[in-house]
Amino acid sequence: MPVTAPARHAGTLVSMPETVEIGLGRSARRGYHLDEIALVPTRRTRGSSLVSTAWQIDAHTFELPLVAAPSDAVVSPATAVEIERLGGLAVLDGEGLWARYEDADAELAKLDGSNATLQRVYSAPVIPELLHRRVGELRASGVRVAVRLSPQHTLELAPHVLDAGVDLLVIQGTVISAEHVAAGDEVGLNLKTFIADLDVPVLVGGVTNYQTALHLMRTGAAGVIIGYGAHLGSTTHSALGIDVPMATALVDAAAARRDYLDETGGRYVHLVAYGDLATGGDIAKALACGADAVMLGEALASAANSPGAGRYWDATAAHPRVPRSLVVDLAGGVHDRPTLDELIAGPTDDPTGERNLFGAVRRVMGKCGYSSIKEFQKVELIVTGATR
């Protein structure tokens, strides 16, 4: 029979989700996806012009709670400039095509939608000197520079990125821990000692639960990524058996943040939701569950000026041994794809909610009576049980 049990973490009473017995002597928690919850408007509403969607991480303030995912299908040096102009932050993949090839656009043109071709193109090694130059080019364009590295290659590549003047370092994998244990004599990545020596803020993830979120906060990270970027073509749930009910994962991480805030006497760690975010409603529900910003990949890939030409893939699609993502064709052969402007900030005539994403977020924040993201994190939620 389902039960709800209170649990105490670091002096804070946390209401745990229901648990069910899945067999003799073994129980499992019930997790909720964003599709299974809904927002409850209050008695007071606000005009969307009175709503602020701004957020700040370390010394960097952005008008939109948007982090563009480190996928070569979405972020190039050119689109990084456009995304910052629109109010967001773009993360360049430090192990992507722009760090492997002088002419990355020519390599992108070779992609035919198959994972075999993707693996072949990504088999070229990362060139540290080229990565250093790409960061310098981004700095010269005047944008805040964020670069993603995998936990496995952070120790090797981070010095080149840091020397070139990155503003924000993103250490991201499907699942990440406070200490990456390596094989043999290879030195593992200890995030606590690594971050302690840095002068730039670090965003780390993905995270699926309270314990891991709290451990990563204790490393000194400025932000934690919740989720692994589940999208239409993602197969991580079937290949590895890992799934992230985003609503529950965010609420758990927000509880860890509150406990860490008490533990440190006021150090606030930002949460960035990554996965199952397709519409303005999805983004709004992620923010309501405790996220400060969202990381979008697939939702931006259909833009006419995205480098993937209407296709989307993440870093797991090109994994040389265990790929865990299909290359998704979002354009469907249509040549009149929307611009990044229309997708992110509108206006639009599209009725699905998949364009003017942050215009929709402002509208729902106003309809629920909140004027800032911090306030909106207190909005009432209900469980609907519905899924798309």
Side-chain angles (χ1 to χ4, degrees), residues 17 19-20 43 96 106 116 123 133 146 172 218 226 254 267 275-276 318:
T19 61
V20 295
R43 63 181 177 83
S123 65
R133 182 153 31 101
Q172 183 181 23
R218 287 170 174 164
I226 312 301
R267 187 173 186 273
D276 290 331

Side-chain angles (χ1 to χ4, degrees), residues 301-306 309-310 329-340 342-343 347-350 355:
S302 63
N305 40 344
S306 286
D329 187 352
L330 300 167
V334 178
H335 295 292
D336 57 342
R337 292 184 284 136
T339 63
L340 277 171
E342 182 181 351
L343 283 173
T348 185
D349 59 6
D350 178 78
R355 300 183 188 178

Side-chain angles (χ1 to χ4, degrees), residues 13-367:
L13 188 65
V14 179
S15 180
M16 299 294 287
E18 61 184 344
T19 61
V20 295
E21 188 175 275
I22 59 175
L24 291 176
R26 190 67 185 268
S27 298
R29 295 178 61 196
R30 171 74 166 91
Y32 294 92
H33 290 271
L34 294 174
D35 281 345
E36 298 177 272
I37 65 169
L39 308 173
V40 181
T42 62
R43 63 181 177 83
R44 174 180 294 173
T45 60
R46 299 176 186 271
S48 56
S49 63
L50 301 177
V51 171
S52 170
T53 55
W55 77 297
Q56 179 175 337
I57 182 166
D58 200 68
H60 305 291
T61 301
F62 300 92
E63 291 303 311
L64 298 179
L66 165 64
V67 180
S71 165
D72 289 334
V74 174
V75 178
S76 67
T79 56
V81 175
E82 285 298 297
I83 289 165
E84 171 130 349
R85 178 183 64 82
L86 291 167
L89 170 69
V91 181
L92 186 73
D93 187 358
E95 299 169 32
L97 297 181
W98 274 271
R100 297 173 190 257
Y101 296 96
E102 287 282 354
D103 189 353
D105 290 317
E107 300 305 316
L108 282 167
K110 296 177 183 178
L111 300 180
D112 57 8
S114 73
N115 280 64
T117 303
L118 198 72
Q119 285 177 312
R120 186 166 60 253
V121 170
Y122 278 85
S123 65
V126 172
I127 305 171
E129 295 77 17
L130 181 57
L131 175 58
H132 185 286
R133 182 153 31 101
R134 297 299 191 202
V135 174
E137 291 169 357
L138 280 171
R139 285 198 66 80
S141 69
V143 301
R144 265 78 61 91
V145 184
V147 174
R148 174 260 179 189
L149 300 174
S150 66
Q152 294 87 343
H153 296 110
T154 293
L155 292 177
E156 172 194 356
L157 298 176
H160 302 277
V161 171
L162 295 167
D163 183 65
V166 72
D167 293 298
L168 187 105
L169 182 63
V170 180
I171 303 175
Q172 183 181 23
T174 300
V175 175
I176 194 170
S177 59
E179 182 175 359
H180 177 67
V181 179
D185 295 329
E186 184 183 351
V187 178
L189 173 64
N190 185 309
L191 281 173
K192 188 169 186 178
T193 57
F194 179 79
I195 291 174
D197 293 332
L198 299 182
D199 293 326
V200 299
V202 180
L203 182 63
V204 297
V207 169
T208 64
N209 59 20
Y210 171 97
Q211 290 83 2
T212 310
L214 184 59
H215 288 165
L216 290 180
M217 291 172 189
R218 287 170 174 164
T219 67
V224 174
I225 300 168
I226 312 301
Y228 61 80
H231 58 90
L232 189 63
S234 175
T235 59
T236 293
H237 61 288
S238 58
L240 301 185
I242 296 172
D243 198 6
V244 181
M246 184 58 74
T248 297
L250 282 168
V251 171
D252 282 357
R257 177 173 59 196
R258 288 194 299 272
D259 288 348
Y260 183 67
L261 198 69
D262 291 340
E263 180 182 303
T264 58
R267 187 173 186 273
Y268 186 91
V269 178
H270 298 270
L271 303 181
V272 178
Y274 181 37
D276 290 331
L277 299 163
T279 66
D282 295 335
I283 296 169
K285 287 188 280 187
L287 298 174
C289 286
D292 298 283
V294 295
M295 180 175 278
L296 299 183
E298 183 181 25
L300 305 181
S302 63
N305 40 344
S306 286
R311 296 191 181 103
Y312 181 70
W313 63 91
D314 60 29
T316 66
H319 195 284
R321 294 178 299 279
V322 188
R324 300 183 301 279
S325 174
L326 302 172
V327 180
V328 182
D329 187 352
L330 300 167
V334 178
H335 295 292
D336 57 342
R337 292 184 284 136
T339 63
L340 277 171
D341 292 66
E342 182 181 351
L343 283 173
I344 292 173
T348 185
D349 59 6
D350 178 78
T352 66
E354 295 180 4
R355 300 183 188 178
N356 193 5
L357 296 170
F358 292 93
V361 171
R362 282 195 183 92
R363 187 164 294 274
V364 70
M365 286 175 63
K367 287 187 179 298

